[in-house]
Amino acid sequence: MNKIFMSITLIIMMLFIGCATHIHHIGAGPQIGHQVTARQYYLLWGLVPLNSVDTNEMAGTDINGNPIENYEIQTQFSAIDIAINWVSVATTAGLFSSRTVTVTK
């Protein structure tokens, strides 16, 4: 019974250990509620980024062509990221991982 409890506890801890959300407000924060989402991919346990997610580009420009100065950046592990990471752990010992980046204007 004790081994089963410890196994379940270990599995739950492994599931939620990376569930962290980071929120950064730029300027006054989001104004219109429009969201743009991208996924950042990594190799070698998160050490080598495979693509570049540019949050300034995701925020975009206003009608006059000026960069938007009020927005929010949220980085987190979504359910899809957890699934990608678990498949990676099961097949390649975690060499491949991902993280979701959302910009709200």
Side-chain angles (χ1 to χ4, degrees):
M1 180 71 170
N2 196 17
K3 287 184 180 181
I4 293 172
F5 177 73
M6 290 303 290
S7 297
I8 291 172
T9 302
L10 183 64
I11 289 170
I12 290 172
M13 287 174 53
M14 289 174 59
L15 278 173
F16 295 107
I17 198 158
C19 293
T21 299
H22 300 280
I23 299 174
H24 304 279
H25 291 277
I26 310 301
Q31 303 295 313
I32 60 175
H34 183 259
Q35 291 186 338
V36 179
T37 302
R39 188 163 279 108
Q40 177 74 50
Y41 296 102
Y42 299 95
L43 276 178
L44 300 176
W45 308 280
L47 296 174
V48 180
L50 290 177
N51 62 336
S52 177
V53 175
D54 185 3
T55 56
N56 288 329
E57 183 179 311
M58 290 172 68
T61 57
D62 62 12
I63 296 172
N64 299 324
N66 300 322
I68 293 179
E69 296 177 353
N70 300 314
Y71 56 95
E72 174 185 275
I73 303 169
Q74 178 178 358
T75 59
Q76 68 180 2
F77 281 105
S78 68
I80 295 172
D81 297 321
I82 291 170
I84 289 171
N85 294 340
W86 271 93
V87 169
S88 175
V89 166
T91 58
T92 64
L95 290 176
F96 183 76
S97 62
S98 68
R99 188 164 181 88
T100 301
V101 179
T102 303
V103 172
T104 305
K105 301 176 193 180

